[in-house]
């Protein structure tokens, strides 16, 4: 492809700033059409972003001959369906995370990608952000020696909408989004550790609904073993007091440690016996743009995207194993 002409299925909140504008700001990339079931909202989005065409039916967008690549930004329960339809229509797919509702769905998407010979990418955009690439550089340069352990802590207060069933968002509806906030947020952390430390070979966990605010699990702990032998632990809680909030990843090696965060983008801290250094980064205006750039480059034959269906499926498998009862 010389020019990538995108169609978006599901132009909701994530498309407003995080991803949507990147598709028409990147060179050799255009946003041709958008789809949302609510006609007033999709028309409004199209007008504000200067998109020529809009649809209220996904199938019409998928079969639009002017589109040669599709971004799926719906809730997770529709990822598999639309990804498979798009690839069968001979169009590569960029799908939001988590890739599917479970590992089995991911495998079906990968199999379709192979059969149709269409590329499949997943929106684990941290793999392309300078912040996390700096952590990878520190590890690759052996700044903390041999990596031994990693510790994850993601503690959040309950959202205002969580306290009333009438205001619950789709993110805590198991039929739409899987296991709640864990399925929404934890894959970012698990995926970036896959990128930084390699494949997570084994995962076990315990999960509970301790806040009783919704039906999905709100408190999860896990043990991880990486293919390299590195051992890790993780704790996620989404009903804590605001004074207890924490977002941290600590990687410990034989010569020191690196501390950073998944969502807060706190300064990366490197501590060894000899030095203590911090590295700060400003996130791009459209946080998915660096990864989308790698997708456009790969589709044009000039590069490689680090987040594929294969890597995305690995993260879904890890989550399945953590949540296995």
């Amino acid at each position: 492809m010389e020019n990538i002409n995108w169609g978006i299925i599901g132009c909701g909140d994530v498309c407003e700033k995080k991803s949507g504008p990147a598709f028409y700001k990147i060179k050799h990339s255009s946003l041709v059409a958008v789809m949302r079931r609510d006609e007033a909202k999709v028309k409004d989005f199209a007008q504000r972003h200067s998109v020529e065409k809009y649809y209220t039916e996904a199938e019409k967008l998928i079969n639009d001959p002017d589109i040669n690549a599709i971004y799926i930004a719906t809730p997770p329960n529709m990822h598999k369906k639309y990804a498979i339809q798009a690839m069968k229509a001979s169009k590569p797919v960029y799908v939001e995370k988590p890739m599917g509702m479970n590992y089995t769905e991911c495998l079906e998407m990968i199999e379709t990608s192979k059969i149709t010979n269409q590329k499949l990418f997943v929106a684990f955009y941290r793999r392309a952000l300078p912040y996390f690439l700096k952590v990878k550089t520190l590890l690759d340069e052996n700044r903390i020696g041999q990596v031994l352990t990693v510790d994850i802590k993601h503690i959040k207060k309950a959202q205002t909408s969580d306290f009333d069933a009438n205001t619950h968002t789709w993110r805590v509806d198991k039929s739409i989004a899987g296991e709640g906030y864990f399925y929404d947020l934890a894959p970012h952390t698990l995926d970036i550790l896959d990128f930084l430390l390699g494949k997570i070979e084994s995962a076990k966990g315990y999960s509970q609904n301790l806040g009783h605010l919704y039906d999905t699990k709100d408190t999860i702990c896990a043990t991880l073993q990486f293919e390299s032998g590195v051992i890790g632990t993780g704790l996620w809680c989404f009903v804590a007091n605001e004074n207890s909030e924490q977002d941290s990843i600590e990687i410990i090696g034989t010569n020191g440690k690196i501390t950073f965060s998944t969502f807060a983008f706190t300064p990366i801290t490197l501590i060894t016996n000899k030095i203590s250094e911090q590295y700060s980064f400003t996130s791009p205006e459209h946080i998915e743009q660096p990864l989308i750039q790698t997708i456009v480059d790969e589709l044009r034959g000039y590069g490689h995207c680090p987040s594929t269906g294969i890597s995305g499926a690995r993260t879904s498998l890890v989550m399945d194993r953590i949540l296995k009862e």
Side-chain angles (χ1 to χ4, degrees):
M1 300 180 187
E2 179 57 29
N3 294 290
I4 314 304
N5 300 321
W6 291 94
I8 296 178
I9 299 176
C11 52
D13 291 344
V14 71
C15 295
E16 283 295 342
K17 186 174 181 181
K18 286 185 175 182
S19 60
F23 293 104
Y24 56 78
K25 289 187 174 184
I26 292 172
K27 192 175 181 181
H28 298 290
S29 178
S30 301
L31 181 53
V32 173
V34 292
M35 174 270 163
R36 189 170 181 170
R37 287 176 296 179
D38 187 311
E39 185 171 6
K41 289 182 177 180
V42 72
K43 181 179 180 180
D44 175 65
F45 184 96
Q47 290 176 339
R48 287 185 292 103
H49 292 271
S50 300
V51 181
E52 182 180 351
K53 292 187 280 188
Y54 63 86
Y55 297 99
T56 57
E57 297 177 36
E59 290 74 15
K60 289 184 178 180
L61 181 140
I62 289 170
N63 292 308
D64 186 327
D66 294 332
I67 294 170
N68 58 17
I70 292 176
Y71 169 44
I72 300 169
T74 65
N77 65 323
M78 300 304 293
H79 288 181
K80 184 190 81 167
K81 175 183 177 180
Y82 291 143
I84 288 175
Q85 286 182 357
M87 288 185 285
K88 286 184 175 180
S90 300
K91 295 175 184 181
V93 168
Y94 174 50
V95 63
E96 268 300 329
K97 58 80 213 163
M99 180 176 164
M101 292 286 279
N102 49 54
Y103 182 58
T104 300
E105 286 197 354
C106 296
L107 292 181
E108 292 181 57
M109 295 160 72
I110 291 169
E111 182 63 20
T112 301
S113 173
K114 292 177 180 177
I115 292 171
T116 60
N117 197 31
Q118 294 300 317
K119 292 183 182 294
L120 175 60
F121 308 99
V122 185
F124 286 119
Y125 53 83
R126 281 165 173 75
R127 289 176 175 244
L129 290 177
Y131 179 89
F132 296 98
L133 292 175
K134 178 62 177 180
V135 176
K136 184 165 178 59
T137 297
L138 294 173
L139 292 169
D140 290 346
E141 291 176 349
N142 207 35
R143 298 290 296 277
I144 61 169
Q146 178 187 347
V147 176
L148 304 170
T149 67
V150 59
D151 180 65
I152 305 159
K153 286 188 174 65
H154 191 195
I155 313 298
K156 287 177 63 66
K157 67 177 182 179
Q159 304 299 300
T160 301
S161 61
D162 295 337
F163 292 95
D164 184 347
N166 294 316
T167 60
H168 283 177
T169 72
W170 59 264
R171 287 179 171 82
V172 295
D173 186 330
K174 192 167 186 175
S175 66
I176 296 175
E179 203 62 65
Y181 292 118
F182 179 76
Y183 233 70
D184 184 41
L185 300 173
H188 277 300
T189 304
L190 295 169
D191 178 80
I192 201 61
L193 289 178
D194 177 287
F195 178 68
L196 295 172
L197 302 177
K199 179 182 177 181
I200 298 172
E201 188 175 56
S202 176
K204 298 178 181 180
Y206 296 93
S207 57
Q208 294 288 339
N209 182 326
L210 299 178
H212 306 294
L213 299 177
Y214 36 74
D215 293 333
T216 55
K217 304 293 179 64
D218 56 36
T219 305
I220 300 96
C221 70
T223 56
L224 311 170
Q225 180 162 315
F226 292 76
E227 201 169 53
S228 63
V230 172
I231 293 174
T233 58
L235 178 62
W236 293 264
C237 181
F238 305 106
V239 290
N241 182 275
E242 62 182 347
N243 295 322
S244 303
E245 289 194 323
Q246 187 173 350
D247 172 14
S248 67
I249 302 174
E250 185 176 67
I251 300 176
I252 296 175
T254 52
N255 296 332
K257 67 179 181 178
I258 301 170
T259 305
F260 57 106
S261 58
T262 304
F263 301 96
F265 293 94
T266 52
I268 300 163
T269 302
L270 169 67
I271 298 176
T272 70
N273 290 333
K274 297 180 180 180
I275 62 166
S276 177
E277 297 177 349
Q278 287 194 334
Y279 311 91
S280 296
F281 291 82
T282 301
S283 295
E285 180 182 7
H286 310 297
I287 202 163
E288 294 194 28
Q289 185 164 337
L291 185 70
I292 294 169
Q293 179 71 68
T294 70
I295 294 171
V296 169
D297 290 345
E298 180 168 337
L299 292 177
R300 297 185 65 243
Y302 296 105
H304 171 72
C305 174
S307 183
T308 66
I310 299 296
S311 62
R314 289 201 299 266
T315 293
S316 287
L317 176 60
V318 170
M319 290 195 297
D320 283 0
R321 287 173 170 172
I322 291 172
L323 294 168
K324 185 176 180 180
E325 308 215 341

